Amino acid sequence: MYLLKDLEPKEVFRFFESICDLPHGSKNTKLLSDFCAVFARMRGLWCQQDKAGNIIIRKEASKGYEDHPTVILQGHLDMVCEKLPEVKIDFQKDGLTLKLDGDRLHADGTTLGGDDGIAVAMALAVLDDKNLVHPPLEVLFTVDEEIGMLGATALNIDSEDEGILTAGCAGGVRSTLTLPVRRESARGIPCTLSLDGLIGGHSGTEINAGHENAILWLAKFFAPLARDGGYRLSAMSGGGKDNAIPRAATVKFLAPTVPDETFNARMETALAALHESEPNATLTLETGAACDMGVFTRETAEKVFTLFETLPNGVIAMSEDVPGLVETSLNLGILATERSLVFDYAVRSSKDSAKRDLTARLKSAIQKAGGQYQERGAYPAWEYRADSRLRNVMVEVFRAQYGYDPKIDIIHAGLECGILSSKLPGLDCISMGPDLYDIHTPRESLSVSSVERTWKYLLEVLKAL
């Protein structure tokens, strides 16, 4: 029996629970994509599914709306998969365990995937209901690739704040820096130092919230120990998604002797200072028996520490036009050690020139250290449109339902509206959604009452278009 069967709107939460039953992390959305395709075909709706799993579903207009401009409803199928260390889940195969706590819906120790599963659920509910009033519809579900389509107006349901209509966003790119690692054998005490429990968060919308980056904090803590105390670096890792601020990181090293009370005191002092901004942070040390093992050469280790000290991270510039808006930033989201040390960054800016300047800094720094630079997944900024019929209609409908005007916002995060607008010049786009909290973290939750209000609002907007 469905946990959410009594929640309103029933049709939306029925689909949302079905979505949560399927694994759908990034690059693992085939089951959910196929689910949507089967849904469309069973209802006789025109559907096109490409090899990547992107889907377009068309629904004819209601009677009397046949000559109205087509409306695109868009959301993405993939979710960010993060979990607490003690949670046993295989995101490649398992669905989520849902928990309901009053008005808040969340998953048991994992991300909920409300970003963007609730958009998919709402769009499916619109497609499923034959009694709704609406213009011709094209529903676009995207995965990890760009897709072009026809249409006149686009409603993106990938925002996380009720009462805020997003009308612009930053562009971005994923940057990967790879530093070759030279090793040598040394003898000592193998140690693993782990930092966990940080707040984390979305690397766009929360990049200026002051949350610590676990990778950078641990690197700053360990560097002087290696330089002055003879500790030999063996491996570093942290983070899981380049668009999430890392909550945990680990450094493996070889100590000349078993770390003593001085080392422990240094850990306690550093952790106490960290607790001022990260109250749930933990720092643990594990040691093994003396052995021979491979470690970074001192020259390679010094290159690593120098990179950590010189590579930028966080907010680079604030907008001169919009008070409080981040213009340019980057986030070191993933660090991994294999044959090389690999840094994965999410770079964002509402100015293409600033984005190019920032990626040039990354490229110069890694090449100077003898490494390589690569880019992937570039997406354009979505520029604010001064004249927007869609925005005007949505403001009027919002005012009628809520009794006050919504906030019109531009965000420092990527939305598919930027890609759609670049493919279809002149496309009128707005992004909206219900209240979601702590997205991209295991604390993520969704307001049930906000979903109900947002659903009613969406239906009224479609009727007004």
Side-chain angles (χ1 to χ4, degrees):
M1 185 175 292
Y2 286 117
L3 172 70
L4 312 184
K5 64 182 179 62
D6 295 325
L7 299 185
E8 294 289 350
K10 287 184 171 61
E11 56 271 50
V12 173
F13 281 108
R14 174 167 58 90
F15 284 118
F16 184 70
E17 190 155 10
S18 295
I19 290 166
C20 291
D21 282 341
L22 301 173
H24 58 285
S26 296
K27 299 185 179 180
N28 185 39
T29 55
K30 178 172 172 46
L31 286 178
L32 181 52
S33 177
D34 290 345
F35 172 87
C36 295
V38 170
F39 160 92
R41 289 163 186 149
M42 288 181 65
R43 287 155 180 81
L45 299 173
W46 183 94
C47 174
Q48 180 176 318
Q49 181 185 32
D50 68 14
K51 292 181 180 179
N54 299 299
I55 298 180
I56 301 172
I57 304 173
R58 291 176 180 161
K59 184 181 181 185
E60 294 181 357
S62 354
K63 186 176 181 180
Y65 279 69
E66 293 88 351
D67 61 346
H68 288 222
T70 298
V71 172
I72 302 168
L73 296 180
Q74 190 276 324
H76 59 84
L77 297 174
D78 54 321
M79 64 173 283
V80 170
C81 296
E82 291 284 333
K83 70 180 188 69
L84 297 175
E86 64 272 17
V87 173
K88 304 295 184 183
I89 184 172
D90 183 347
F91 283 116
Q92 292 296 310
K93 298 185 297 183
D94 300 335
L96 306 176
T97 302
L98 299 181
K99 300 287 185 179
L100 188 60
D101 184 10
D103 185 54
R104 295 288 187 92
L105 177 64
H106 60 94
D108 189 12
T110 71
T111 39
L112 174 66
D115 175 18
D116 200 20
I118 197 63
V120 178
M122 285 188 177
L124 291 175
V126 168
L127 291 170
D128 195 43
D129 194 331
K130 297 180 180 180
N131 299 315
L132 298 183
V133 178
H134 56 75
L137 296 177
E138 291 190 355
V139 173
L140 169 63
F141 296 138
T142 55
V143 287
D144 308 305
E145 302 291 336
E146 296 182 8
I147 187 171
M149 62 183 296
L150 300 177
T153 299
L155 267 175
N156 169 273
I157 319 175
D158 191 17
S159 290
E160 294 87 35
D161 296 288
E162 184 184 4
I164 297 178
L165 303 182
T166 303
C169 72
V173 67
R174 266 50 175 177
S175 295
T176 299
L177 286 59
T178 304
L179 181 70
V181 172
R182 295 184 61 190
R183 292 182 178 272
E184 61 188 10
S185 181
R187 186 170 183 79
I189 305 296
C191 302
T192 300
L193 184 62
S194 300
L195 174 66
D196 205 344
L198 272 60
I199 294 171
H202 190 289
S203 68
T205 57
E206 295 182 273
I207 197 67
N208 60 336
H211 300 165
E212 288 282 354
N213 182 307
I215 297 170
L216 298 178
W217 190 95
L218 195 58
K220 184 177 180 180
F221 174 82
F222 181 73
L225 295 173
R227 284 168 165 163
D228 304 331
Y231 296 96
R232 304 295 303 276
L233 179 63
S234 176
M236 289 190 70
S237 62
K241 301 288 183 298
D242 51 21
N243 61 353
I245 300 170
R247 302 174 54 255
T250 298
V251 59
K252 295 184 178 182
F253 61 95
L254 197 66
T257 59
V258 176
D260 56 16
E261 290 303 316
T262 301
F263 186 95
N264 292 334
R266 190 166 186 168
M267 284 177 52
E268 291 175 3
T269 299
L271 187 59
L274 179 60
H275 280 163
E276 295 180 7
S277 59
E278 300 280 352
N280 297 319
T282 60
L283 189 61
T284 57
L285 176 68
E286 297 179 1
T287 62
C291 64
D292 294 313
M293 62 182 290
V295 296
F296 288 26
T297 64
R298 295 188 186 279
E299 179 184 9
T300 298
E302 184 56 36
K303 287 182 179 180
V304 173
F305 301 141
T306 300
L307 280 171
F308 277 120
E309 292 167 351
T310 58
L311 287 170
N313 193 79
V315 176
I316 303 301
M318 302 295 292
S319 172
E320 296 179 357
D321 303 317
V322 182
L325 175 67
V326 178
E327 175 208 277
T328 305
S329 77
L330 75 166
N331 174 67
L332 174 57
I334 306 173
L335 182 72
T337 305
E338 295 177 357
R339 293 183 178 180
S340 301
L341 191 64
V342 181
F343 304 72
D344 274 328
Y345 283 88
V347 180
R348 306 175 192 267
S349 183
S350 53
K351 291 184 177 180
D352 286 340
S353 59
K355 184 175 68 175
R356 289 194 299 269
D357 289 345
L358 188 51
T359 55
R361 288 176 62 185
L362 296 179
K363 183 176 181 180
S364 175
I366 191 64
Q367 288 182 343
K368 185 177 180 180
Q372 296 180 332
Y373 176 85
Q374 293 180 313
E375 289 183 1
R376 71 188 190 284
Y379 55 92
W382 167 29
E383 295 187 10
Y384 177 81
R385 180 174 174 150
D387 182 18
S388 167
R389 175 182 176 269
L390 175 60
R391 186 172 68 244
N392 293 339
V393 168
M394 293 184 71
V395 168
E396 290 175 5
V397 173
F398 188 95
R399 187 186 299 125
Q401 177 173 327
Y402 289 87
Y404 59 92
D405 285 351
K407 178 183 177 183
I408 307 299
D409 201 11
I410 303 171
I411 64 169
H412 187 65
L415 291 173
E416 289 85 348
C417 294
I419 295 173
L420 291 175
S421 296
S422 70
K423 300 291 185 182
L424 299 170
L427 184 69
D428 200 356
C429 300
I430 291 291
S431 181
M432 54 167 279
D435 285 334
L436 280 163
Y437 308 92
D438 299 315
I439 64 169
H440 296 188
T441 78
R443 302 183 310 280
E444 181 185 355
S445 63
L446 171 67
S447 167
V448 173
S449 59
S450 180
V451 171
E452 183 174 12
R453 291 188 297 270
T454 302
W455 170 248
K456 292 177 180 178
Y457 175 57
L458 173 61
L459 299 188
E460 289 302 315
V461 168
L462 292 176
K463 188 185 299 183
L465 291 172

